[in-house]
């Protein structure tokens, strides 16, 4: 923990740059966790297929049928929210997970209230800047959908990681 006096010295006196510290935290919490989770899910799928075929004479499942829920979208969603929670860990001193989750909820409530106020003042406005049609992505191909989601996820993730980096850098100087 960065904000506890008993453990902060381990992080703050570690002979590494802030970029190295943040990238290692991100690597552990996103890359390694994702690889381990997908590996475990694949093994569970493999063993459930064996059990299903041996004992229940069931049709085998394959990974393609389970990823019809857009695995890429889920991974990009986790990419963005992982960087948000890393920012929360650097920003809040106590209860950083709860405060970050509460901040996300407040942000979305604020967006809904602001949208409602704008709709009351100006009437219903159909602004679809985030829709695929705005970017001339009209086909339903998975590649186009993935590129569209990537165009939203990467800048948001980079922004939150940069803010986390500057917050950690300020924390180390202070």
């Amino acid at each position: 923990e960065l904000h506890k006096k008993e453990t902060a010295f381990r992080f703050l006196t570690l002979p590494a740059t802030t970029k190295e510290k943040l990238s290692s935290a991100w690597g552990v919490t996103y890359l390694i966790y994702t690889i381990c989770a997908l590996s475990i899910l694949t093994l569970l799928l493999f063993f459930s297929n064996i059990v299903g075929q041996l004992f229940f004479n069931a049709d085998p499942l394959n990974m393609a049928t389970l990823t019809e829920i857009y695995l890429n979208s889920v991974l990009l969603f986790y990419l963005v929210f992982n960087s948000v929670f890393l920012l929360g860990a650097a920003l809040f001193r106590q209860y950083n997970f709860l405060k970050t989750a509460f901040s996300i909820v407040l942000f979305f409530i604020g967006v809904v209230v602001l949208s409602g106020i704008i709709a009351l003042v100006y009437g219903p406005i159909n602004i679809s800047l985030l829709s695929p049609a705005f970017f001339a992505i009209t086909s339903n191909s998975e590649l186009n959908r993935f590129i569209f989601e990537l165009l939203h996820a990467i800048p948001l993730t980079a922004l939150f990681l940069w803010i986390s980096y500057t917050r950690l850098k300020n924390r180390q100087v202070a």
Side-chain angles (χ1 to χ4, degrees):
E1 283 288 328
L2 177 63
H3 302 294
K4 291 183 181 175
K5 290 181 182 178
E6 299 84 26
T7 58
F9 73 91
R10 289 186 220 147
F11 183 81
L12 295 174
T13 59
L14 187 67
T17 65
T18 306
K19 189 184 302 183
E20 291 169 338
K21 293 174 188 178
L22 183 66
S23 62
S24 67
W26 181 79
V28 168
T29 59
Y30 181 73
L31 296 176
I32 294 176
Y33 176 77
T34 304
I35 290 169
C36 289
L38 288 176
S39 301
I40 289 170
L41 288 174
T42 304
L43 285 172
L44 284 173
L45 176 67
F46 176 72
F47 289 126
S48 67
N49 275 338
I50 290 175
V51 169
Q53 288 176 355
L54 286 177
F55 297 112
F56 305 109
N57 200 17
D59 292 334
L61 297 172
N62 62 18
M63 195 60 143
T65 60
L66 295 180
T67 57
E68 286 179 8
I69 59 168
Y70 304 119
L71 180 64
N72 295 334
S73 299
V74 172
L75 290 177
L76 288 176
F77 179 80
Y78 179 61
L79 176 71
V80 172
F81 273 88
N82 177 270
S83 62
V84 169
F85 279 95
L86 273 177
L87 174 61
L91 198 61
F92 299 119
R93 292 191 181 271
Q94 288 183 335
Y95 308 111
N96 45 22
F97 176 78
L98 293 175
K99 288 180 179 178
T100 305
F102 185 66
S103 299
I104 292 170
V105 169
L106 283 181
F107 172 77
F108 285 120
I109 288 173
V111 167
V112 168
V113 168
L114 186 63
S115 300
I117 291 171
I118 290 173
L120 284 174
V121 172
Y122 294 108
I125 300 172
N126 187 9
I127 300 175
S128 54
L129 294 176
L130 299 178
S131 73
F134 181 78
F135 291 101
I137 301 174
T138 55
S139 76
N140 291 331
S141 103
E142 279 297 313
L143 179 62
N144 287 343
R145 185 175 185 277
F146 178 68
I147 290 171
F148 173 72
E149 291 173 351
L150 202 61
L151 288 174
H152 287 87
I154 297 298
L156 275 174
T157 302
L159 173 70
F160 289 127
L161 287 176
W162 179 75
I163 295 171
S164 300
Y165 171 76
T166 56
R167 177 70 178 156
L168 282 177
K169 192 129 182 101
N170 290 340
R171 174 76 175 162
Q172 286 182 323
V173 171

